[in-house]
Amino acid sequence: MPFRWSGRASQTLSAAAMSALLLASAAKHFREPEFFHPVVPDMLCRDDSGGQSNGPLAVLSREEWVAASGLLEAAAAVGLLIPATRPAAAVGVTAMFAAFLAGHVDALRKAYGPDGTPGRRRLHTVRLPLQAPLIAWAWTLTRRDRRR
């Protein structure tokens, strides 16, 4: 008899793969935080030097934003592995990836600006469109398996 994937098995495998991706990214947030610095929009970054005034959204430093997003990714990865929390975690991951779009657009804009480099242009030209399949993939995990 041939092996058939059930909807539940497919979703579990997909959630585990998304979880692994999120855990790898979360670890990179702490190993190489500077990789994520360009994706944090300047308007969100607090400047404690006194050189400029902080806007209403500048509540964390760039380093704190990177660490916070790494922690969120790790928490979401764990939430995706638990069937009872998977739908809520998947909604959170979908929202997180959608929110990251603003940072990727800002990083791409800077990469093509006067201080941009060819390497940054290539990197951010690839990173921005990758958000769409990540958002769609996370959204597929929001559905509960009704056949329990």
Side-chain angles (χ1 to χ4, degrees):
M1 174 187 299
F3 180 77
R4 289 195 175 286
W5 281 98
S6 68
R8 175 188 278 173
S10 294
Q11 189 183 54
T12 299
L13 180 62
S14 183
M18 172 71 74
S19 181
L21 178 81
L22 287 168
L23 285 173
S25 177
K28 188 172 178 97
H29 277 72
F30 297 99
R31 273 194 327 272
E32 295 179 57
E34 63 281 350
F35 178 78
F36 297 95
H37 285 183
V39 185
V40 182
D42 292 338
M43 69 179 196
L44 294 179
C45 298
R46 187 184 69 235
D47 179 14
D48 294 332
S49 70
Q52 65 182 10
S53 62
N54 292 315
L57 298 176
V59 294
L60 299 174
S61 69
R62 191 171 308 276
E63 293 77 16
E64 291 166 339
W65 278 114
V66 171
S69 63
L71 290 172
L72 282 173
E73 285 184 359
V78 172
L80 289 175
L81 293 175
I82 303 167
T85 60
R86 184 175 299 145
V91 168
V93 172
T94 303
M96 184 173 63
F97 285 149
F100 289 169
L101 279 171
H104 287 289
V105 168
D106 189 54
L108 184 64
R109 181 187 59 79
K110 287 180 188 171
Y112 280 91
D115 295 330
T117 65
R120 290 271 179 211
R121 288 183 190 112
R122 280 191 300 277
L123 175 68
H124 295 296
T125 298
V126 170
R127 280 177 87 178
L128 177 61
L130 283 176
Q131 292 305 111
L134 288 173
I135 291 167
W137 181 14
W139 185 251
T140 67
L141 298 173
T142 64
R143 293 176 281 215
R144 284 193 184 274
D145 183 13
R146 307 269 187 240
R147 295 171 286 155
R148 288 191 176 177

